[in-house]
Amino acid sequence: MSKIINSSGEEADFTKPLYVPIKRRSFFMYAGATAGATALLLSGCNDDDDAGVTPEGTVNVGSGSVGVLNYAYALEQLEAGFYTALRDGTYYKGLMAGSAEKQILDDLYYHEVIHREFFKAALTRDAASAMIRSDLQPNFDGIDFNARVTAAGSAKLGVLNAAKAFEDLGVAAYNGAGRFIATDTAGLNYLVAAGKIVSVEARHAALIRDLVSEGSFVDSDVVRIGTDGLEISKTPAEVVATANLFLKEGSKLNVSGLV
Amino acid sequence: MNILKLLADLAAVDSDSFERISGRRVVLASLGQNGRRAVAAAVPLALSGVLTKAYGRRSSTVLDAFSLALTLEYLESDFYTQALASGLVFPGTTKTVIQAIAKHEQDHVTFLQRTLRESSVEVPQKPKFDFTGSKNATQPALFADVFSNFSTFLKVAQLLEDTGVRAYKGQVENLMTDNDLLEAALRIHAVEARHAAHIRGMRRALGANVRYWVSPLDEDITTAPTAPVYADENAVKQAIVTTTDIILFPLDTATGVVTTTKEKAEQSIREAFDEPMTETVARRIASLFIYA
């Protein structure tokens, strides 16, 4: 257990909990007063595997900096889960070994798993008692893992269209979530970390869009042109309206604390 | 800068003036080096002394971040404008793409100028740019054929876009006290990342060994002057830092973060995070192309 990285060729470890034997630091040691009160509230009612599950059966991410971390962790779980399922699907398995698209989908899968595990490590260290569950259950019934792109007339998304939806959604979500991070030292570090990740998500989004349709990397549905050149930004409520379509009952996200 | 700390400082210095100004974004947002002059002009003389006392402890702020951003957007905007006006041959449909990118950069310039102006801050003038890096033929060029060789043009474009991504990221500390400006900067930052990925894809299509994200496997296109563009970009460990503790991700004791070969896992971890760049480094890179 002393290796940073499992160097085996097996693919079995993704669903296992990450072993993180670090000391848990008190959130109150560095969080601001408001965030501290939030953590108290959350840890007061959620201190076991059901952390974050509200009576309605949704997964409440909480509020403040920890809420944003949970929110990001949930979205990264969804993205990583998508690429995991994709690699188990017919389309991916039919790709030639060493083909450009296979390499790209592999890279995106690795990046998203790393992002997911990064947030898990940060939450485990900083706010373990308020962390959402690590096993959000995706619902990919709306995705056809046999199809590269959405077939004409099909109600199901092709894998690249689904990837595009997830990557664009991820960028818009990070853009809209920065404002909920507390302006304290911990918040700054989370903001920097999110910033390091969101630009990689934007690179993914651009690449996937170009694979779907070359040159569509900054189409007007994602970047406003002729006014301020800003990428779209979505509120947490807008994001989960989409994200929850891809999550099973009991794993649907509640972002009522991020307002 | 921590706005709460700042307000606490200000309240401690002069609680009366604190109450009068604390709700006014224009004042809070105008605390940059240039901005302090604007504040001094905008508020009664006695109060400005208080502001200088409280705010003078911080060296850079929200609007300083926007001033840096404007310099970088001037740089990118002028780069594409000059390229499109030059005799450079754009193969295939690439001209349409470059025109779209150029338009975004112009939009960013306009947006940043407007924000600075509305915050009563002096808007920095557009410098003069020489994208060969010869400072208007006063020194040897870094990229002599930037506007006559499409491959060189794309290399410089990649360097500028990746610099933009890193530089915006480096400003979040200064931006985090103003949610609206933070969000605007994040939204520009994401667009720069999309540009960077596409430019990298264009280079890849021409046979360059480069990925859509910054990878340790990318062929090195820097020389000594441009080396800072990717310096410290490929961290194999991410620090999760607080005031009292630092841990590194992946944890030394963790297993299963990525299950693949060690080499591939390390490569992916380096790729999965874009690293910030300080204002000093960003300005040093920009200065390679500025001659007046």
Side-chain angles (χ1 to χ4, degrees), chain A residues 1-14 17-23 25 29-30 87 100 103-104 106-119 121-122 125-126 167-168 171 174-193 195-200 202-207 209-211 214-218 222-234, chain B residues 1-5 93 97 99-101 103-111 114 161-162 165-166 169 172-200 202 204 211-214 230 235-247 249-276:
Chain A
M1 296 295 283
S2 64
K3 298 298 286 183
I4 305 163
I5 290 151
N6 188 331
S7 61
S8 83
E10 295 175 10
E11 299 286 339
D13 277 340
F14 289 101
L18 185 66
Y19 178 59
V20 188
I22 49 169
K23 62 185 170 184
R25 299 217 59 92
M29 288 177 68
Y30 54 84
R87 279 163 45 106
Q103 287 180 22
I104 286 167
D106 283 342
D107 282 333
L108 266 51
Y109 163 73
Y110 290 133
H111 296 168
E112 300 301 355
V113 168
I114 288 162
H115 292 164
R116 180 191 69 195
E117 295 305 312
F118 175 81
F119 282 114
R125 203 287 291 274
D126 289 357
E167 299 288 356
D168 282 341
V171 182
Y174 279 103
N175 285 344
R179 63 175 57 245
F180 301 110
I181 295 177
T183 53
D184 55 23
T185 304
L188 172 60
N189 290 317
Y190 300 149
L191 190 59
V192 170
K196 291 180 178 195
I197 288 172
V198 63
S199 54
V200 176
R203 292 172 187 270
H204 290 174
L207 164 60
R209 292 179 74 95
D210 280 343
L211 287 180
E214 174 58 27
S216 69
F217 66 111
V218 284
V222 281
V223 180
R224 296 202 294 222
I225 191 162
T227 53
D228 49 25
L230 300 187
E231 174 142 350
I232 56 163
S233 171
K234 290 187 173 174
Chain B
M1 185 178 73
N2 183 329
I3 197 71
L4 298 175
K5 176 75 165 62
T93 58
V97 166
Q99 284 168 332
I101 294 176
K103 184 65 186 143
H104 291 148
E105 310 298 9
Q106 287 160 18
D107 287 349
H108 296 162
V109 166
T110 306
F111 173 76
R114 193 174 67 224
E161 296 288 357
D162 282 336
V165 173
R166 297 190 66 184
K169 213 184 307 293
V172 295
E173 180 171 11
N174 294 329
L175 291 162
M176 74 184 299
T177 53
D178 186 309
N179 284 330
D180 293 332
L181 296 184
L182 169 66
E183 182 167 325
L186 286 172
R187 294 170 69 180
I188 294 176
H189 166 246
V191 174
E192 304 298 347
R194 285 180 186 262
H195 291 170
H198 189 85
I199 295 284
R200 286 165 160 270
M202 291 168 88
R204 195 175 168 89
R211 279 136 210 89
Y212 310 88
W213 37 81
V214 182
Y230 297 115
V236 76
K237 287 269 191 180
Q238 288 294 319
I240 301 174
V241 194
T242 72
T243 47
T244 53
D245 202 3
I246 297 174
I247 61 167
F249 173 87
L251 308 168
D252 287 334
T253 48
T255 185
V257 171
V258 176
T259 308
T260 179
T261 62
K262 189 172 192 299
E263 291 70 26
K264 181 65 180 176
E266 287 191 350
Q267 172 205 331
S268 296
I269 288 165
R270 290 164 191 252
E271 292 170 350
F273 301 88
D274 279 337
E275 299 298 324

Side-chain angles (χ1 to χ4, degrees), chain B:
Chain B
M1 185 178 73
N2 183 329
I3 197 71
L4 298 175
K5 176 75 165 62
L6 174 61
L7 291 173
D9 289 349
L10 188 54
V13 174
D14 183 340
S15 59
D16 182 47
S17 61
F18 166 71
E19 282 177 17
R20 271 183 281 145
I21 68 158
S22 57
R24 291 176 56 191
R25 197 193 69 134
V26 63
V27 173
L28 294 177
S30 300
L31 310 176
Q33 288 151 6
N34 291 328
R36 274 196 294 278
R37 268 177 278 143
V39 170
V43 300
L45 199 59
L47 181 54
S48 73
V50 171
L51 288 170
T52 303
K53 233 156 122 187
Y55 297 149
R57 298 174 197 174
R58 273 88 194 173
S59 59
S60 62
T61 64
V62 172
L63 292 178
D64 290 328
F66 265 51
S67 296
L68 170 65
L70 180 57
T71 300
L72 296 172
E73 297 292 349
Y74 278 144
L75 177 75
E76 292 182 328
S77 174
D78 221 52
F79 173 69
Y80 294 113
T81 303
Q82 285 193 28
L84 289 164
S86 74
L88 183 64
V89 177
F90 293 86
T93 58
T94 57
K95 189 161 192 173
T96 312
V97 166
I98 297 302
Q99 284 168 332
I101 294 176
K103 184 65 186 143
H104 291 148
E105 310 298 9
Q106 287 160 18
D107 287 349
H108 296 162
V109 166
T110 306
F111 173 76
L112 294 168
Q113 284 177 329
R114 193 174 67 224
T115 303
L116 289 170
R117 202 178 298 119
E118 288 175 359
S119 304
S120 309
V121 173
E122 198 179 331
V123 178
Q125 291 295 305
K126 188 175 84 168
K128 287 185 173 149
F129 296 107
D130 174 359
F131 293 100
T132 68
S134 75
K135 305 235 179 214
N136 201 27
T138 59
Q139 65 179 43
L142 297 171
F143 303 99
D145 57 355
V146 62
F147 294 141
S148 57
N149 179 336
F150 192 62
S151 170
T152 306
F153 163 76
L154 289 181
K155 277 184 191 170
V156 178
Q158 179 188 316
L159 293 170
L160 296 182
E161 296 288 357
D162 282 336
T163 295
V165 173
R166 297 190 66 184
Y168 273 97
K169 213 184 307 293
Q171 291 303 306
V172 295
E173 180 171 11
N174 294 329
L175 291 162
M176 74 184 299
T177 53
D178 186 309
N179 284 330
D180 293 332
L181 296 184
L182 169 66
E183 182 167 325
L186 286 172
R187 294 170 69 180
I188 294 176
H189 166 246
V191 174
E192 304 298 347
R194 285 180 186 262
H195 291 170
H198 189 85
I199 295 284
R200 286 165 160 270
M202 291 168 88
R203 291 193 58 234
R204 195 175 168 89
L206 294 176
N209 180 8
V210 63
R211 279 136 210 89
Y212 310 88
W213 37 81
V214 182
S215 172
L217 301 185
D218 290 346
E219 67 182 53
D220 186 3
I221 58 170
T222 64
T223 55
T226 49
V229 174
Y230 297 115
D232 306 318
E233 164 51 45
N234 276 310
V236 76
K237 287 269 191 180
Q238 288 294 319
I240 301 174
V241 194
T242 72
T243 47
T244 53
D245 202 3
I246 297 174
I247 61 167
L248 293 175
F249 173 87
L251 308 168
D252 287 334
T253 48
T255 185
V257 171
V258 176
T259 308
T260 179
T261 62
K262 189 172 192 299
E263 291 70 26
K264 181 65 180 176
E266 287 191 350
Q267 172 205 331
S268 296
I269 288 165
R270 290 164 191 252
E271 292 170 350
F273 301 88
D274 279 337
E275 299 298 324
M277 173 187 282
T278 65
E279 173 175 2
T280 305
V281 173
R283 288 200 182 278
R284 190 181 308 143
I285 293 165
S287 73
L288 297 174
F289 304 104
I290 294 173
Y291 67 91

